[in-house]
Amino acid sequence: MSDSDNLFDKVWNQHAVGTLPSGQTQLFIGLHLIHEVTSPQAFDMLRERGLNVMYPERTIATVDHIVPTESQLRPFGDVLAEEMMSAIEKNCREFGVTLLDLQDSRQGIVHIVGPEQGLTQPGMTIACGDSHTSTHGAFGAIAFGIGTSQVAYVLATQTLAMNKPKVRRIEVNGRLASGVYAKDVILHIIRRLGVKGGIGYAYEYAGDAFDRMSMEERMTVCNMSIEGGARCGYVNPDQTTVDYIRGRPFAPQGAAFDEASRWWLSLASGPGARYDDVVRYDAADIDPTVTWGINPGQSVGIGEAIPAVASYAAEEQRGVQEALDFMELKEGQSLQGLKIDVAFIGSCTNGRISDLREAARIVQGKHVKPGVKALVVPGSQLVRKAAEEEGLHAVFQAAGFEWRGAGCSMCLAMNPDKLQGREICASSSNRNFKGRQGSPLGRTLLMSPAMVAAAAVTGSVTDVRQLS
Amino acid sequence: MQRMTSVSGRAVPLVLDDIDTDRIIPARYLRCVTFEGLGAHAFEDDRKQDPSHPFNDPRYQGAQVLLSGRNFGCGSSREHAPQSLMRWGIGAVAAESFAEIFFGNCTSLGIPAVCVDRASLESLASAVQADPTRVVTVDLEALQVRCDDLVVPCTMPEEARQSLVSGQWDFLGQLLDGAAQVRETADRLPYMRQFAAG
C-alpha cells in the first residue's frame, strides 16, 4: 500500500485477481447479496451450463421487492409474485445459499439486512443485483449494483469483469443546521454535481460533516450515490464504523474482531491520498431539500423557488420543461404549500430506526391531515421490532399512519403499494422518475423522513423547521 | 461466441436525456422469472402517454439502432431494460453517454452501446426522421456511426469494444478460467481467513 493510495485503490488492489483478455480486471467479490427479482434468470444460466455456486457461504439471499407489506401470508394474492418467491426458495435450496425469507426474523430490504447482520464490513467488495448496493459503501466497502448476467458470474466464479473507476472526493465541512439531515446532504450533492456527474467515478464522502454522522446517516448518503451517476460511494471507516459492527451476528468475535478492526482502520484514505477530483461544500449552505422534477437532481432548498427554465443550459431546457409539465409545476413556483395525497416513510434510503425515530418525533401528538394516505414501512423485521419496543408504532398509529411489515413497498411499485392516477407523494425514497411509484402518471417529491412527516400532518409540503 | 463488429439496420430516434430504466421497462414487468416477452413492454408507459412516441411510430418498427441522449439507462440496475430493448429488436444503442450499470448489462448481452457527440446525434436523428428507411451502421472496428453520406465518430471503452469485436462478451468462460487465481486471491483476504493471524 502506498501513502498516495485512497481506500478505493487499496481495496481494489487486494481484490484484483488478474487482467482479462479484454483488459478488464477480474475482481473478487467478498459478499454477494441476492433478492427475488434479479436472481431467477441467473440461477437458470447456471443450470443451463451445469455450474455450481463457487462460494455459497459468500452469498446471502433475502426477499424485499415484491413482498406485500400488509398481509404477508402465503400464497400471495399476486400469482406472479408467488412464482418469484417459490423460485428463490427453490434456487437457494438447490444451490446451498442461505435465504432469510419472510418466516425469518432477519428478513428485510437487502441493503438494510446486510449492515444490520454485520455481513457488510469495511474492505470488502460487495455486489448485488440492485443499484442501491452503493449503500454498503458507508462502511468503507466497494459496493455496487450489477445486472442479472453479472449475478450469474458472481454465483459461478465469485468475480466480475470490471474497469477501475476514477475517485472523486466530496468534502462537506461544517455543521448541519437543525432540521437538515443526511438525505438533504445527498440531494444537495446530486443537485450540484448532476445526475450524470458521477459517471466513471466512485465517490469518497469526507469532511467533518461525515465524520460526525452515524452509520445510518452515512448509509443514506451512500445509498443515493447511484442517483448522482456514481456506481459506488463510500465513507472511510473510523471508530463509528467499528462500534457499529461490534457484536453483530456475522461480525468477527473476540480476538478476530480486534484484528479485523486494525485492518479496517488501516484501509482509510490517509492525508497523502490522491484523487482524480475533489469538490467541497459547506454544510451551512444545505437546507431541507425537496425534488420538484423527474430525476433526483431536480431539487431546491425548501426556501427557494423552482429555477427558471432559461437558467439551464440550452440542451437541458427541453428536459426541464418536460419535468415541469409532468409535475404540473411552474418555474418560479415555491414548493411550500403544495398539497400532497400520500406520505411514504420507508425504503433502503430511509427505512432505518433512526429515520423512524425522527419522523415519530415530528408526528407525536399530531394527526395526519384528512385525505392524506400515510404509511410507515420499516426496512426490516428487526427495525420494525425495535420500533415497536420503543413504542414508535403507537405514535404513528395514533397519528393516523398505517404501520406495515418490512419490504420495499412504495419505493418501486413491484408490490401492492402503489400511487393511483395523478397522486402526489411526499416520499423518503430515492427516485422520482415518471411512474416510479406505480402509477404511470403518479408524482413523487423526494425529501427526508422528517419532511415527509411534516407534509403528512399538514397535508402539504412544509418546512419541518417551521412546524410548531 | 459470435464476433460483434458492426450492427446495421434502420434506426429509431429518441434523443432525450436521462432516460431511466423504469421508463424503458416499468417495474410491474419485473414480476417474472424469465426475460421472455419483455420486448412488447419496452417504453410501455411512455408510449401510452404519447401516441407519437417513436416506439409507436409504424415507420420505426423493425429498427435495430436506437439513438438517444445523455445518461441513457440511468437508475435501476435491472437487466430487464436492455433485455426488453433487445427483444423489441434493438441491436445497438448510440447515445451521448450511458449510465454504467446499463452499459455493462448491454455488453453482457452483446449490444454495442457507443457514445456520439450531441451535434452528430442530432444530425443522425434528422437524417432518420427525414427518411426512416435509411440504414444506420454502428461500426466497432472503424469506431464510426454511418448513415449514407453522414459519417460520425463514436467512442466506447476499449475493454468493452475489444470483448465485443473478439466475440468474448460472455465473460463467464473467461472468469471461470481464472478459478485457481480466484482461490489464491480469496485465501489472501483477511476476512476470508476469518481474520486469523498469519
Side-chain angles (χ1 to χ4, degrees):
Chain A
M1 289 191 223
S2 141
D3 286 350
S4 64
D5 283 351
N6 54 51
L7 176 138
F8 195 96
D9 297 324
K10 296 180 203 177
V11 176
W12 179 278
N13 292 342
Q14 294 195 48
H15 289 79
V17 172
T19 306
L20 295 166
S22 64
Q24 286 178 299
T25 301
Q26 180 168 12
L27 191 73
F28 183 79
I29 300 302
L31 175 64
H32 186 210
L33 300 168
I34 62 172
H35 60 81
E36 73 283 11
V37 177
T38 57
S39 67
Q41 298 91 339
F43 282 108
D44 282 345
M45 284 172 67
L46 264 58
R47 284 194 187 90
E48 282 163 23
R49 303 197 194 199
L51 296 168
N52 286 317
V53 177
M54 188 172 180
Y55 284 93
E57 72 282 8
R58 302 309 303 174
T59 294
I60 299 280
T62 191
V63 291
D64 53 10
H65 286 59
I66 59 160
V67 301
T69 62
E70 254 182 320
S71 164
Q72 299 188 325
L73 294 177
R74 301 279 298 278
F76 295 151
D78 176 352
V79 293
L80 296 174
E82 181 58 31
E83 188 183 3
M84 295 174 81
M85 286 295 283
S86 302
I88 196 166
E89 288 164 348
K90 174 170 179 281
N91 289 331
C92 288
R93 209 166 43 237
E94 281 186 28
F95 287 89
V97 170
T98 300
L99 170 64
L100 312 181
D101 63 10
L102 283 173
Q103 288 73 50
D104 191 307
S105 62
R106 300 169 294 177
Q107 174 268 339
I109 305 176
V110 64
H111 308 308
I112 295 195
V113 168
E116 203 168 60
Q117 291 301 317
L119 289 160
T120 302
Q121 295 171 18
M124 282 182 173
T125 45
I126 302 177
C128 172
D130 189 285
S131 61
H132 292 113
T133 306
S134 57
T135 311
H136 308 266
F139 292 77
I142 296 182
F144 48 86
I146 55 177
T148 295
S149 295
Q150 292 167 326
V151 171
Y153 301 166
V154 179
L155 289 171
T157 75
Q158 205 63 34
T159 62
L160 287 167
M162 297 289 291
N163 287 332
K164 191 179 177 197
K166 295 185 277 190
V167 179
R168 173 179 292 141
R169 179 175 165 98
I170 300 176
E171 276 187 31
V172 181
N173 290 299
R175 287 203 176 265
L176 296 173
S178 166
V180 178
Y181 299 90
K183 180 66 160 285
D184 302 304
V185 173
I186 187 61
L187 285 172
H188 183 84
I189 290 170
I190 297 167
R191 178 187 178 192
R192 295 296 171 209
L193 294 173
V195 291
K196 44 206 159 252
I199 293 180
Y201 284 92
Y203 281 172
E204 174 178 300
Y205 301 103
D208 58 33
F210 289 103
D211 294 342
R212 275 192 294 273
M213 281 188 191
S214 69
M215 289 312 296
E216 298 198 348
E217 292 173 302
R218 295 176 187 180
M219 285 186 245
T220 296
V221 172
C222 290
N223 171 276
M224 289 187 70
S225 300
I226 185 66
E227 312 311 334
R231 197 171 182 179
C232 74
Y234 67 89
V235 177
N236 284 302
D238 59 9
Q239 196 56 43
T240 304
T241 319
V242 171
D243 291 344
Y244 178 96
I245 299 171
R246 184 182 285 115
R248 293 190 180 263
F250 285 86
Q253 310 291 333
F257 186 81
D258 298 333
E259 182 63 30
S261 304
R262 275 193 289 279
W263 184 63
W264 294 339
L265 295 171
S266 77
L267 297 169
S269 304
R274 296 223 183 106
Y275 300 92
D276 299 284
D277 190 27
V278 179
V279 295
R280 292 187 179 85
Y281 300 108
D282 186 343
D285 292 340
I286 305 174
D287 280 324
T289 301
V290 180
T291 61
W292 52 263
I294 56 172
N295 74 51
Q298 293 173 327
S299 67
V300 286
I302 186 66
E304 295 169 67
I306 297 172
V309 177
S311 68
Y312 287 86
E315 70 271 18
E316 290 181 25
Q317 292 181 7
R318 185 175 162 198
V320 170
Q321 191 59 56
E322 179 197 1
L324 289 171
D325 291 346
F326 182 81
M327 296 299 290
E328 280 184 64
L329 294 169
K330 291 192 165 45
E331 58 182 12
Q333 184 177 343
S334 165
L335 291 171
Q336 289 193 70
L338 180 69
K339 290 207 167 13
I340 63 150
D341 305 293
V342 178
F344 169 59
I345 295 172
S347 85
C348 60
T349 312
N350 281 127
R352 298 183 180 80
I353 188 70
S354 56
D355 299 311
L356 304 194
R357 283 183 192 135
E358 202 56 23
R361 196 178 62 76
I362 306 291
V363 305
Q364 176 90 47
K366 300 191 175 66
H367 203 277
V368 171
K369 186 84 170 175
V372 172
K373 176 188 174 71
L375 62 162
V376 181
V377 186
S380 69
Q381 291 193 30
L382 288 174
V383 170
R384 181 179 152 105
K385 183 163 173 277
E388 290 182 350
E389 283 167 5
E390 294 178 25
L392 302 184
H393 67 306
V395 173
F396 286 119
Q397 285 171 327
F401 281 83
E402 297 175 35
W403 178 247
R404 297 290 188 86
C408 296
S409 184
M410 205 183 264
C411 177
L412 89 170
M414 289 194 59
N415 54 67
D417 302 335
K418 292 177 185 173
L419 295 184
Q420 304 295 321
R422 286 291 276 158
E423 282 179 340
I424 296 182
C425 180
S427 182
S428 73
S429 58
N430 42 57
R431 289 189 173 134
N432 52 343
F433 298 152
K434 282 183 176 179
R436 171 74 181 182
Q437 292 190 285
S439 164
L441 295 171
R443 293 171 282 177
T444 302
L445 309 172
L446 301 177
M447 58 188 84
S448 70
M451 286 285 285
V452 175
V457 297
T458 59
S460 60
V461 177
T462 301
D463 187 339
V464 65
R465 298 170 301 188
Q466 289 168 11
L467 200 66
S468 56
Chain B
M1 188 153 258
Q2 174 196 351
R3 295 175 70 228
M4 182 63 66
T5 53
S6 73
V7 174
S8 281
R10 288 186 289 115
V12 52
L14 188 65
V15 187
L16 293 169
D17 293 335
D18 304 320
I19 291 186
D20 60 74
T21 53
D22 275 83
R23 283 173 77 172
I24 296 171
I25 184 78
R28 58 186 178 277
Y29 296 114
L30 273 57
R31 287 156 45 250
C32 57
V33 295
T34 78
F35 292 121
E36 284 163 30
L38 289 179
H41 304 296
F43 287 112
E44 179 158 304
D45 290 342
D46 279 7
R47 290 161 72 178
K48 277 190 182 153
Q49 286 164 44
D50 177 11
S52 70
H53 191 281
F55 273 60
N56 284 336
D57 192 326
R59 299 176 303 156
Y60 300 127
Q61 301 308 304
Q64 292 178 55
V65 177
L66 173 61
L67 305 174
S68 194
R70 261 196 243 174
N71 199 26
F72 185 75
C74 60
S76 159
S77 64
R78 60 189 70 171
E79 188 172 310
H80 307 67
Q83 287 275 359
S84 74
L85 294 176
M86 183 174 79
R87 287 159 198 273
W88 188 84
I90 296 299
V93 188
E96 197 176 343
S97 59
F98 294 91
E100 285 170 68
I101 304 177
F102 179 86
F103 177 87
N105 286 339
C106 283
T107 307
S108 296
L109 298 177
I111 302 172
V114 298
C115 296
V116 174
D117 71 78
R118 187 61 166 233
S120 300
L121 277 169
E122 300 283 3
S123 303
L124 287 165
S126 300
V128 169
Q129 280 156 352
D131 180 2
T133 67
R134 281 184 174 148
V135 170
V136 172
T137 299
V138 174
D139 184 336
L140 294 186
E141 291 185 311
L143 278 172
Q144 289 175 341
V145 180
R146 295 188 293 270
C147 178
D148 295 340
D149 297 345
L150 183 60
V151 179
V152 303
C154 66
T155 60
M156 178 179 228
E158 179 55 21
E159 297 84 357
R161 192 192 75 89
Q162 199 49 248
S163 62
L164 289 166
V165 298
S166 64
Q168 296 183 314
W169 38 270
D170 177 350
F171 293 102
L172 190 48
Q174 297 173 48
L175 296 173
L176 283 167
D177 288 343
Q181 295 95 305
V182 170
R183 293 202 186 277
E184 283 171 26
T185 304
D187 291 344
R188 282 196 299 270
L189 286 164
Y191 62 85
M192 293 296 287
R193 293 187 283 107
Q194 276 74 47
F195 297 100

Coordinates of all heavy atoms in Angstrom, one line a residue, chain B residues 127-169:
Chain B
A127 N -31.6 12.9 -40.1 CA -31.5 12.1 -41.3 C -32.5 10.9 -41.3 O -33.2 10.6 -42.2 CB -30.1 11.5 -41.5
V128 N -32.6 10.3 -40.1 CA -33.5 9.2 -39.9 C -35.0 9.6 -40.0 O -35.9 9.0 -40.6 CB -33.2 8.4 -38.6 CG1 -34.3 7.4 -38.3 CG2 -31.8 7.7 -38.8
Q129 N -35.2 10.8 -39.3 CA -36.6 11.3 -39.3 C -37.1 11.7 -40.8 O -38.2 11.4 -41.2 CB -36.7 12.5 -38.4 CG -36.9 12.1 -37.0 CD -36.4 13.2 -36.0 OE1 -35.8 14.2 -36.4 NE2 -36.6 13.0 -34.7
A130 N -36.1 12.2 -41.6 CA -36.4 12.6 -42.9 C -36.7 11.3 -43.8 O -37.6 11.4 -44.7 CB -35.3 13.3 -43.5
D131 N -36.0 10.2 -43.5 CA -36.2 9.0 -44.3 C -35.9 7.8 -43.4 O -34.8 7.3 -43.3 CB -35.3 9.0 -45.5 CG -35.6 7.7 -46.3 OD1 -36.4 6.9 -45.9 OD2 -34.9 7.5 -47.3
P132 N -37.0 7.3 -42.7 CA -36.8 6.2 -41.7 C -36.3 4.9 -42.4 O -35.9 4.0 -41.7 CB -38.2 6.0 -41.1 CG -38.9 7.3 -41.4 CD -38.4 7.8 -42.7
T133 N -36.3 4.8 -43.7 CA -35.8 3.6 -44.3 C -34.3 3.6 -44.5 O -33.7 2.6 -44.8 CB -36.4 3.4 -45.7 OG1 -35.9 4.4 -46.6 CG2 -37.9 3.4 -45.7
R134 N -33.6 4.7 -44.1 CA -32.2 4.8 -44.2 C -31.5 3.8 -43.3 O -32.0 3.6 -42.1 CB -31.7 6.2 -43.9 CG -31.8 7.1 -45.0 CD -31.2 8.5 -44.6 NE -31.2 9.3 -45.8 CZ -31.4 10.7 -45.7 NH1 -31.5 11.2 -44.5 NH2 -31.4 11.4 -46.8
V135 N -30.5 3.2 -43.7 CA -29.7 2.2 -42.9 C -28.6 2.9 -42.1 O -27.9 3.7 -42.7 CB -29.1 1.1 -43.8 CG1 -28.1 0.2 -43.0 CG2 -30.2 0.2 -44.4
V136 N -28.6 2.7 -40.8 CA -27.6 3.2 -40.0 C -26.7 2.1 -39.5 O -27.2 1.0 -39.2 CB -28.2 3.9 -38.7 CG1 -27.2 4.3 -37.7 CG2 -29.1 5.1 -39.1
T137 N -25.4 2.3 -39.6 CA -24.4 1.3 -39.2 C -23.6 1.8 -38.1 O -23.0 2.9 -38.1 CB -23.5 1.0 -40.4 OG1 -24.3 0.5 -41.5 CG2 -22.4 -0.1 -40.0
V138 N -23.5 0.9 -37.0 CA -22.6 1.2 -35.9 C -21.5 0.2 -36.1 O -21.6 -1.0 -36.1 CB -23.3 0.9 -34.5 CG1 -22.3 1.0 -33.4 CG2 -24.5 1.8 -34.3
D139 N -20.3 0.8 -36.4 CA -19.1 0.1 -36.8 C -18.1 0.1 -35.7 O -17.5 1.2 -35.4 CB -18.5 0.7 -38.1 CG -17.4 -0.1 -38.7 OD1 -16.7 -0.8 -37.9 OD2 -17.1 0.0 -39.9
L140 N -17.9 -1.0 -35.0 CA -17.0 -1.0 -33.9 C -15.5 -1.1 -34.2 O -14.7 -0.9 -33.4 CB -17.3 -2.2 -32.9 CG -18.7 -2.2 -32.2 CD1 -18.8 -3.3 -31.3 CD2 -18.9 -0.8 -31.5
E141 N -15.2 -1.5 -35.5 CA -13.8 -1.6 -35.9 C -13.4 -0.2 -36.3 O -12.3 0.2 -36.0 CB -13.7 -2.6 -37.0 CG -13.9 -4.0 -36.4 CD -13.6 -5.2 -37.3 OE1 -14.2 -5.1 -38.5 OE2 -12.9 -6.1 -36.9
A142 N -14.2 0.5 -37.1 CA -13.8 1.9 -37.6 C -14.2 2.9 -36.5 O -13.8 4.1 -36.6 CB -14.5 2.2 -38.9
L143 N -14.9 2.5 -35.5 CA -15.5 3.4 -34.5 C -16.2 4.6 -35.1 O -15.9 5.8 -34.9 CB -14.4 3.9 -33.5 CG -14.1 2.9 -32.4 CD1 -12.9 3.3 -31.5 CD2 -15.4 2.7 -31.5
Q144 N -17.2 4.2 -36.0 CA -18.0 5.2 -36.7 C -19.4 4.8 -36.6 O -19.8 3.6 -36.5 CB -17.6 5.2 -38.2 CG -16.2 5.8 -38.4 CD -15.9 5.7 -39.9 OE1 -16.5 4.9 -40.6 NE2 -14.9 6.5 -40.4
V145 N -20.3 5.8 -36.7 CA -21.7 5.6 -37.0 C -22.0 6.2 -38.4 O -21.6 7.4 -38.6 CB -22.6 6.1 -35.9 CG1 -24.1 5.9 -36.3 CG2 -22.3 5.6 -34.5
R146 N -22.5 5.4 -39.3 CA -22.7 5.9 -40.6 C -24.2 5.8 -41.0 O -24.9 4.9 -40.7 CB -21.9 5.1 -41.6 CG -20.4 5.2 -41.4 CD -19.7 4.5 -42.5 NE -19.9 3.0 -42.5 CZ -19.1 2.2 -41.9 NH1 -18.1 2.6 -41.2 NH2 -19.4 0.9 -41.9
C147 N -24.6 6.9 -41.8 CA -25.9 6.9 -42.4 C -25.8 7.5 -43.8 O -25.6 8.8 -43.8 CB -26.9 7.6 -41.5 SG -28.6 7.7 -42.2
D148 N -25.7 6.7 -44.8 CA -25.4 7.3 -46.1 C -24.1 8.1 -46.1 O -23.1 7.6 -45.6 CB -26.6 8.1 -46.7 CG -27.8 7.2 -46.9 OD1 -27.7 6.0 -47.0 OD2 -28.9 7.8 -47.0
D149 N -24.2 9.3 -46.5 CA -23.0 10.2 -46.6 C -22.6 10.7 -45.2 O -21.4 11.2 -45.1 CB -23.3 11.4 -47.4 CG -23.6 11.1 -48.9 OD1 -23.3 9.9 -49.2 OD2 -24.1 11.9 -49.6
L150 N -23.5 10.6 -44.3 CA -23.2 11.1 -42.9 C -22.3 10.1 -42.2 O -22.8 8.9 -41.9 CB -24.5 11.4 -42.2 CG -24.4 12.0 -40.8 CD1 -23.7 13.3 -40.8 CD2 -25.8 12.1 -40.3
V151 N -21.1 10.4 -41.8 CA -20.2 9.5 -41.1 C -19.7 10.3 -39.8 O -19.1 11.3 -40.0 CB -19.0 9.1 -42.0 CG1 -18.1 8.2 -41.2 CG2 -19.5 8.4 -43.2
V152 N -20.0 9.7 -38.7 CA -19.6 10.4 -37.5 C -18.8 9.5 -36.6 O -19.0 8.3 -36.6 CB -20.8 11.0 -36.7 CG1 -21.7 11.9 -37.5 CG2 -21.7 9.9 -36.1
P153 N -17.8 10.0 -35.8 CA -17.0 9.1 -35.0 C -17.8 8.7 -33.7 O -18.7 9.5 -33.3 CB -15.9 10.0 -34.6 CG -16.4 11.4 -34.7 CD -17.4 11.4 -35.8
C154 N -17.5 7.6 -33.2 CA -18.1 7.2 -31.9 C -17.0 6.6 -31.0 O -15.9 6.3 -31.5 CB -19.2 6.2 -32.1 SG -18.7 4.6 -32.7
T155 N -17.3 6.6 -29.7 CA -16.3 6.1 -28.8 C -17.0 5.0 -27.9 O -18.2 4.9 -27.8 CB -15.8 7.2 -27.8 OG1 -16.9 7.7 -27.1 CG2 -15.1 8.3 -28.6
M156 N -16.1 4.2 -27.3 CA -16.5 3.1 -26.4 C -15.3 2.7 -25.6 O -14.2 2.7 -26.1 CB -17.0 2.0 -27.3 CG -17.4 0.8 -26.5 SD -18.0 -0.6 -27.6 CE -19.5 -1.0 -26.9
P157 N -15.5 2.4 -24.3 CA -14.3 2.0 -23.6 C -13.7 0.8 -24.3 O -14.3 -0.1 -24.7 CB -14.9 1.5 -22.2 CG -16.2 2.3 -22.1 CD -16.7 2.5 -23.5
E158 N -12.4 0.9 -24.4 CA -11.6 -0.1 -25.3 C -11.9 -1.6 -24.8 O -12.0 -2.5 -25.6 CB -10.1 0.3 -25.3 CG -9.3 -0.7 -26.1 CD -9.7 -0.9 -27.5 OE1 -10.4 0.0 -28.1 OE2 -9.3 -1.9 -28.1
E159 N -12.0 -1.7 -23.5 CA -12.1 -3.1 -23.0 C -13.4 -3.7 -23.5 O -13.5 -4.9 -23.9 CB -12.1 -3.1 -21.5 CG -10.8 -2.7 -20.9 CD -10.6 -1.2 -20.7 OE1 -11.6 -0.5 -21.2 OE2 -9.6 -0.7 -20.2
A160 N -14.5 -2.9 -23.4 CA -15.8 -3.4 -23.9 C -15.8 -3.6 -25.4 O -16.3 -4.7 -25.9 CB -16.9 -2.4 -23.5
R161 N -15.2 -2.7 -26.1 CA -15.1 -2.8 -27.6 C -14.3 -4.1 -27.9 O -14.7 -4.9 -28.8 CB -14.4 -1.6 -28.2 CG -14.5 -1.5 -29.7 CD -13.5 -0.5 -30.2 NE -12.1 -1.0 -30.3 CZ -11.6 -1.6 -31.2 NH1 -12.3 -1.9 -32.4 NH2 -10.3 -2.1 -31.2
Q162 N -13.2 -4.3 -27.2 CA -12.4 -5.5 -27.5 C -13.2 -6.8 -27.3 O -13.1 -7.7 -28.0 CB -11.2 -5.4 -26.6 CG -10.0 -6.2 -27.0 CD -9.6 -6.1 -28.4 OE1 -9.7 -7.0 -29.2 NE2 -9.1 -4.9 -28.8
S163 N -13.9 -6.8 -26.2 CA -14.6 -8.0 -25.9 C -15.7 -8.3 -26.9 O -16.0 -9.4 -27.3 CB -15.2 -8.0 -24.4 OG -16.1 -6.9 -24.3
L164 N -16.3 -7.2 -27.5 CA -17.4 -7.4 -28.5 C -16.8 -7.9 -29.8 O -17.2 -8.8 -30.4 CB -18.2 -6.1 -28.6 CG -19.1 -5.8 -27.5 CD1 -19.6 -4.3 -27.6 CD2 -20.3 -6.7 -27.4
V165 N -15.7 -7.1 -30.3 CA -15.2 -7.5 -31.6 C -14.5 -8.8 -31.6 O -14.4 -9.4 -32.7 CB -14.3 -6.3 -32.2 CG1 -15.0 -5.0 -32.3 CG2 -13.1 -6.1 -31.3
S166 N -14.0 -9.2 -30.5 CA -13.3 -10.5 -30.4 C -14.3 -11.7 -30.1 O -13.9 -12.8 -30.0 CB -12.2 -10.5 -29.4 OG -12.7 -10.3 -28.1
G167 N -15.6 -11.3 -29.9 CA -16.6 -12.4 -29.6 C -16.4 -12.9 -28.2 O -16.8 -14.1 -28.0
Q168 N -15.9 -12.2 -27.3 CA -15.7 -12.7 -25.9 C -16.5 -11.9 -24.9 O -16.1 -11.6 -23.8 CB -14.2 -12.6 -25.5 CG -13.4 -13.5 -26.4 CD -11.9 -13.5 -26.0 OE1 -11.3 -12.5 -25.8 NE2 -11.4 -14.7 -25.9
W169 N -17.7 -11.5 -25.3 CA -18.5 -10.6 -24.5 C -19.4 -11.4 -23.5 O -19.9 -10.8 -22.6 CB -19.4 -9.7 -25.3 CG -20.0 -10.3 -26.5 CD1 -19.4 -10.2 -27.7 CD2 -21.2 -10.9 -26.6 NE1 -20.3 -10.9 -28.6 CE2 -21.4 -11.3 -28.0 CE3 -22.2 -11.3 -25.7 CZ2 -22.5 -12.0 -28.5 CZ3 -23.4 -12.0 -26.2 CH2 -23.5 -12.3 -27.6

